Amino acid sequence: MRKDLHAQLKFLREERNLSLDDLALKARVGAARLQAYETGEEIPSVQTILKLSNALEVPASNLLDGMEAIGQ
């Protein structure tokens, strides 16, 4: 089962015991914007997804798979 991008992002962050502020600092993304990504209010750019995947230490495809669900 594929998770939407926002659910996958939150799952990976929580799985790594990172707070929003921790991940925001690691990815160099504002905490408020990161929260908007996790709630599905905003969709991050591909560049931001790459930053987030690096900060979460997962392949970008783990997050990009969630983007496909948005387009369907």
Side-chain angles (χ1 to χ4, degrees), residues 14-27:
E14 290 177 346
E15 184 179 59
R16 285 153 180 73
N17 295 316
L18 293 172
S19 69
L20 276 169
D21 289 334
D22 291 339
L23 181 55
L25 186 62
K26 283 182 77 168

Side-chain angles (χ1 to χ4, degrees), residues 10-61:
K10 185 173 183 175
F11 170 79
L12 290 168
R13 178 180 61 79
E14 290 177 346
E15 184 179 59
R16 285 153 180 73
N17 295 316
L18 293 172
S19 69
L20 276 169
D21 289 334
D22 291 339
L23 181 55
L25 186 62
K26 283 182 77 168
R28 298 181 183 205
V29 175
R33 172 124 326 149
L34 182 56
Q35 185 172 21
Y37 296 152
E38 286 191 1
T39 60
E41 293 174 31
E42 291 186 33
I43 299 171
S45 67
V46 172
Q47 181 179 4
T48 300
I49 288 174
L50 293 174
K51 289 181 186 179
L52 292 168
S53 69
N54 285 335
L56 290 165
E57 300 177 359
V58 297
S61 61

Side-chain angles (χ1 to χ4, degrees), residues 2-5 64-72:
R2 276 199 184 136
K3 292 184 179 182
D4 289 340
L5 172 66
L64 291 171
D65 282 349
M67 292 292 285
E68 292 176 18
I70 294 170
Q72 294 176 355

